[in-house]
Amino acid sequence: MDASTEHRHGDKQALLAAVPLFKNTSTEVVDAFSRASDISLYRKGEALFLQDDPTDWFYLVLSGWVKLFRETLDGNEAVIDMVSTGQLVAETAIFENNEHSYSAVAIEDATVLRLPVSVLQGAIEKDNQLALAMLSSLSLHRKRQTREIESLTLQNASQRIGCFLLRLCRSDDEGPIELQLPYDKTHIAARLGMKSETFSRALNKLRQETGITVKGATVMIPTLDVMSRFACSACSNEFPCDDMH
């Protein structure tokens, strides 16, 4: 292995060691993943994988945004999640009959670390800490699904947008708070389970209720208190949510 390759190997080890799934695993396991992985660039609109593809790889997003979605029978998309830097994609696919249950597409140029599922399967059998971390990952996925089902059931469209904006804030932020939307409003609407026209009407109502201003991709929130009282009134959790930073 030449010096430049060894340097890249060390970089990948550092990237993996920072991921919760690998934090308590042995250095041998992290080393195995690092050596078997590769860094890949996906251009905007390019698919990492499609629904029902075999699960040969899972992915660590290093930069950019990736949309996870399922396609309905009439050709529409049901967006499951938007993931970005530091997040894993498809790490739980080994429990889904070795097929991806959704598609993943870059919505802007994205750099990812591709990791072989075969290495993950072998490592889980040998490393108890990794097995426990996988159970924790599954638990977090289930908790997120439960929260989103509650949001879709109980919150109106304006409250869901407010919740989305709150989750871009730090819990200790003091107003006024200026945010940059992470991706375009069409994708935000899809992520929140809305049509674009519904999103526009709901955003206008949110402006009236909370006094936020929106100019392009910039959002100004006067205070977290006003926003949280409006957005969280139909939620079982008080702000900040326990998974916020």
Side-chain angles (χ1 to χ4, degrees):
M1 181 181 294
D2 62 34
S4 61
T5 302
E6 184 62 47
H7 177 69
R8 288 195 298 271
H9 174 58
D11 289 344
K12 290 189 288 185
Q13 283 181 309
L15 290 168
L16 291 169
V19 176
L21 182 64
F22 300 111
K23 273 190 175 179
N24 296 315
T25 58
S26 67
T27 55
E28 290 80 10
V29 167
V30 174
D31 183 70
F33 275 110
S34 175
R35 294 181 186 282
S37 65
D38 63 64
I39 295 176
S40 300
L41 172 65
Y42 289 85
R43 297 295 184 185
K44 180 179 179 179
E46 188 175 358
L48 283 67
F49 56 84
L50 297 176
Q51 185 176 328
D52 298 327
D53 278 353
T55 55
D56 297 325
W57 304 89
F58 68 110
Y59 307 80
L60 172 63
V61 182
L62 303 180
S63 67
W65 282 91
V66 175
K67 174 176 65 176
L68 313 183
F69 66 96
R70 289 178 60 85
E71 189 168 328
T72 63
L73 293 177
D74 60 4
N76 290 318
E77 292 180 0
V79 177
I80 299 169
D81 205 353
M82 297 283 190
V83 296
S84 190
T85 306
Q87 293 181 275
L88 289 172
V89 178
E91 79 279 15
T92 61
I94 59 173
F95 304 115
E96 299 170 353
N97 299 320
N98 295 316
E99 291 183 348
H100 289 293
S101 60
Y102 53 83
S103 300
V105 171
I107 62 170
E108 60 183 40
D109 289 355
T111 304
V112 304
L113 186 64
R114 298 197 314 164
L115 300 145
V117 168
S118 58
V119 175
L120 179 61
Q121 290 171 323
I124 288 174
E125 295 175 2
K126 298 175 182 178
D127 191 315
N128 291 337
Q129 291 299 318
L130 183 58
L132 290 172
M134 283 297 298
L135 290 174
S136 177
S137 181
L138 285 169
S139 176
L140 287 173
H141 281 293
R142 176 59 64 86
K143 186 175 182 179
R144 180 185 299 174
Q145 288 173 344
T146 300
R147 187 187 70 229
E148 293 189 357
I149 290 170
E150 177 183 342
S151 175
L152 287 169
T153 303
L154 300 177
Q155 290 182 309
N156 61 40
S158 296
Q159 289 171 325
R160 296 207 302 274
I161 298 172
C163 181
F164 176 86
L165 294 175
L166 282 174
R167 297 185 69 80
L168 299 177
C169 302
R170 295 188 63 88
S171 58
D172 58 354
D173 280 341
E174 297 181 0
I177 302 156
E178 183 177 306
L179 299 175
Q180 293 297 314
L181 296 177
Y183 38 86
D184 67 59
K185 294 173 186 174
T186 301
H187 282 115
I188 295 173
R191 177 68 187 92
L192 298 177
M194 306 176 199
K195 299 292 186 182
S196 294
E197 55 270 25
T198 302
F199 179 85
S200 296
R201 290 194 298 269
L203 185 59
N204 285 331
K205 181 181 178 183
L206 185 64
R207 287 190 181 102
Q208 297 167 8
E209 295 286 346
T210 65
I212 67 167
T213 58
V214 182
K215 293 182 179 179
T218 302
V219 179
M220 186 71 73
I221 300 175
T223 69
L224 286 180
D225 182 59
V226 171
M227 179 66 83
S228 61
R229 279 191 282 112
F230 174 76
C232 304
S233 61
C235 181
S236 63
N237 293 313
E238 293 183 358
F239 178 82
C241 297
D242 57 12
D243 60 342
M244 286 184 63
H245 43 259

